[in-house]
Amino acid sequence: QKEVEQNSGPLSVPEGAIASLNCTYSDRGSQSFFWYRQYSGKSPELIMSIYSNGDKEDGRFTAQLNKASQYVSLLIRDSQPSDSATYLCAVNRNNDMRFGAGTRLTVKP
Amino acid sequence: EPEVTQTPSHQVTQMGQEVILRCVPISNHLYFYWYRQILGQKVEFLVSFYNNEISEKSEIFDDQFSVERPDGSNFTLKIRSTKLEDSAMYFCASRTGTGAWQGGYTFGSGTRLTVV
């Protein structure tokens, strides 16, 4: 059974701090991993993708993947109030991408 | 920037009625998807579609649901006889590429379906 697990939060950090979001998955055959951001009432918006073990950086965002531990994380540096949203971890195998329930992040000014 | 377009943005229907949700994926994309999100819950996979046929479907996608790409641009989700529990936001998504490494999905803005 394909499961993607995230802490639901809420996670609250002060402006300028690092926010750390975590995700585990159960399907060892998963091939690609994504972080989406979802504002209330809106559709998911892709912010990061990662396919290989290690770190991938894009601006203030760093995704980390450890396939042996079945673990994906997202770090947001210099967090801004506009980063306040629900962050969805998504895991893809073949043509079937599944989402975690999301972690709600609040960045306080 | 290319967009996935969904219509209508909000649909209200009576229980037992058929509804068709419409999507126009990005033009050079090859894979198409429907997801739903019940209010306050997670985004749930319904179905994926490639080369004019269903490639994967979830346990949610039962005989009440069907998908179609009738004219090479539209991608539709039909719910044959709606139930109260079908009330949700329905998202269409698409992507290009032939492998799981070909990037994430682009989502439309969603159709909010309310069954009364």
Side-chain angles (χ1 to χ4, degrees):
Chain A
Q1 185 177 6
K2 301 174 188 178
E3 290 286 345
V4 182
E5 302 287 340
Q6 296 181 253
N7 289 330
S8 60
L11 173 66
S12 181
V13 300
E15 184 174 356
I18 295 175
S20 177
L21 305 162
N22 303 313
C23 171
T24 58
Y25 61 94
S26 61
D27 183 1
R28 285 199 170 272
S30 299
Q31 298 159 308
S32 49
F33 309 86
F34 306 93
W35 285 98
Y36 284 82
R37 177 173 60 200
Q38 187 177 32
Y39 294 111
S40 182
K42 302 295 185 182
S43 59
E45 174 194 6
L46 179 67
I47 52 174
M48 288 287 289
S49 59
I50 188 165
Y51 310 112
S52 306
N53 281 329
D55 295 0
K56 179 181 177 183
E57 187 174 317
D58 184 0
R60 295 186 296 113
F61 300 96
T62 299
Q64 299 173 314
L65 173 62
N66 184 326
K67 289 185 179 180
S69 301
Q70 295 174 251
Y71 174 85
V72 194
S73 67
L74 180 71
L75 298 177
I76 307 174
R77 286 181 299 282
D78 188 24
S79 296
Q80 301 297 307
S82 58
D83 294 328
S84 298
T86 297
Y87 288 80
L88 310 177
C89 174
V91 174
N92 192 25
R93 177 178 181 165
N94 297 325
N95 218 8
D96 178 354
M97 184 170 75
R98 303 286 176 125
F99 284 87
T103 298
R104 190 154 49 98
L105 172 66
T106 301
V107 181
K108 296 189 173 178
Chain B
E1 187 169 330
E3 289 185 342
V4 175
T5 305
Q6 289 188 244
T7 55
S9 57
H10 191 187
Q11 179 151 1
V12 182
T13 189
Q14 297 237 328
M15 190 168 54
Q17 295 296 303
E18 174 183 287
V19 295
I20 297 176
L21 310 183
R22 302 182 191 279
C23 170
V24 179
I26 294 172
S27 61
N28 65 340
H29 283 191
L30 302 175
Y31 292 84
F32 315 111
Y33 307 87
W34 284 101
Y35 285 80
R36 79 172 186 191
Q37 187 173 31
I38 295 169
L39 188 63
Q41 298 189 23
K42 66 193 274 187
V43 177
E44 298 175 293
F45 170 75
L46 293 179
V47 66
S48 59
F49 192 86
Y50 170 71
N51 200 24
N52 282 322
E53 60 183 23
I54 291 173
S55 56
E56 302 276 351
K57 61 181 181 178
S58 73
E59 53 281 357
I60 301 169
F61 193 87
D62 61 21
D63 292 344
Q64 292 297 310
F65 292 89
S66 62
V67 289
E68 203 175 39
R69 189 157 159 81
D71 57 13
S73 63
N74 289 285
F75 179 51
T76 62
L77 175 69
K78 182 192 292 186
I79 309 175
R80 232 176 300 281
S81 176
T82 50
K83 303 187 281 283
L84 294 175
E85 53 265 38
D86 293 326
S87 295
M89 181 76 92
Y90 288 80
F91 293 111
C92 174
S94 68
R95 74 174 172 99
T96 187
T98 56
W101 297 269
Q102 297 302 314
Y105 303 1
T106 301
F107 283 80
S109 55
T111 293
R112 179 164 299 285
L113 176 66
T114 303
V115 182
V116 297

